[in-house]
Amino acid sequence: YSMRRMAGRHVGGTPAGLAAMVAHSRAAAKPLIGMDPGARYVGLSITSADCRLALPLRVVDRHARRADSGVSQLVGEHAAIHSILSKHHPAGLVVGLPLDSFGREGPACRTVRAYVGSLRLGKLPVIFLDERFTTANLRHALTDLGMSAQKQQRVKDTGAAVVILQSALDIAFAHAHHLLKAGGGHRPASL
C-alpha cells in the first residue's frame, strides 16, 4: 500500500501496509501513535524518534467527570485525543483490533471500528492490528519483571498500546528484512 492509497483510509495490518506506514513515518520524521481503545480507558503510545521503539504516551479516561456539564463526555474525550494528535503530528495511527480466538471480527471489533470512525481523523492513515493476545502477553512480561498485580493495573492501558505499536514496528521491519533477503540485498526505502 502506498501512503497515498492509505491516506484517510482504514487499512488492515498487512506486513506491506505496516512497512509502508513505518517507511513514510521515518521519511517524514513523524511518529506513529498506537491506540488501545478500551471500555474505560484509551491507552496511547508513540514511536521513538528513529521509529524503532514504541513508548508509553498517555491514558485518556473515557468516563472522567467534567466540571463543565455542558460538554458531553464524548466531545471531551475526542478533544483530548485530538489535542494529543495535534501536539505530535503523527504520520499514522495503529489501533488494536480485538479479534476473537479464531481471528474473526465480532461485536468488540465493530465497537472499536465505530469508535475510531467517531474520532473523524480526516486523512490520517489508520491501520488496525490484531491484538488478541496483547493483554495476556503484557501481563506475563510484567509478572516476569516482578511487578505486582496492583502496579500492573496502572500500566495496563498504555502498556497494551505499547505492545500493539511495537508489534506493528516488528512486523514492518521483519517484512523489510524479508524483502531485503528476497531482493538480493536491496534495502527498501526508509527502512
Side-chain angles (χ1 to χ4, degrees), residues 10 31 48 63 69 72 75 77 89 98 104 114 130 182:
H10 299 242
S48 59
H63 300 287
S69 60
S72 76
V75 171
E77 172 188 329
H89 304 288
R104 296 179 304 220
D130 179 1

Side-chain angles (χ1 to χ4, degrees), residues 104-141:
R104 296 179 304 220
E105 290 195 26
C109 292
R110 287 189 290 277
T111 300
V112 167
R113 286 185 185 278
Y115 177 76
V116 172
S118 75
L119 290 172
R120 296 196 167 118
L121 298 171
K123 294 187 182 268
L124 182 67
V126 176
I127 287 186
F128 291 95
L129 189 67
D130 179 1
E131 61 131 319
R132 276 180 280 183
F133 306 109
T134 301
T135 303
N137 290 341
L138 178 63
R139 187 174 38 247
H140 291 306

Side-chain angles (χ1 to χ4, degrees), residues 137-148 152 155-156:
N137 290 341
L138 178 63
R139 187 174 38 247
H140 291 306
L142 295 176
T143 299
D144 289 347
L145 291 171
M147 189 176 283
S148 71
Q152 286 182 31
V155 300
K156 179 181 75 154

Side-chain angles (χ1 to χ4, degrees), residues 20-93:
M21 183 179 269
V22 171
H24 174 71
S25 175
R26 292 185 66 169
K30 292 182 173 186
L32 296 175
I33 300 281
M35 178 184 279
D36 179 38
R40 169 83 189 187
Y41 300 103
V42 178
L44 298 168
S45 59
I46 190 167
T47 54
S48 59
D50 64 358
C51 208
R52 293 195 180 272
L53 291 175
L55 306 166
L57 182 58
R58 183 165 165 209
V59 173
V60 174
D61 187 343
R62 296 186 70 182
H63 300 287
R65 301 260 183 237
R66 295 196 44 93
D68 177 7
S69 60
V71 177
S72 76
Q73 175 53 39
L74 190 61
V75 171
E77 172 188 329
H78 285 187
I81 291 171
H82 280 276
S83 173
I84 292 163
L85 295 175
S86 293
K87 178 181 178 183
H88 295 286
H89 304 288
L93 184 66

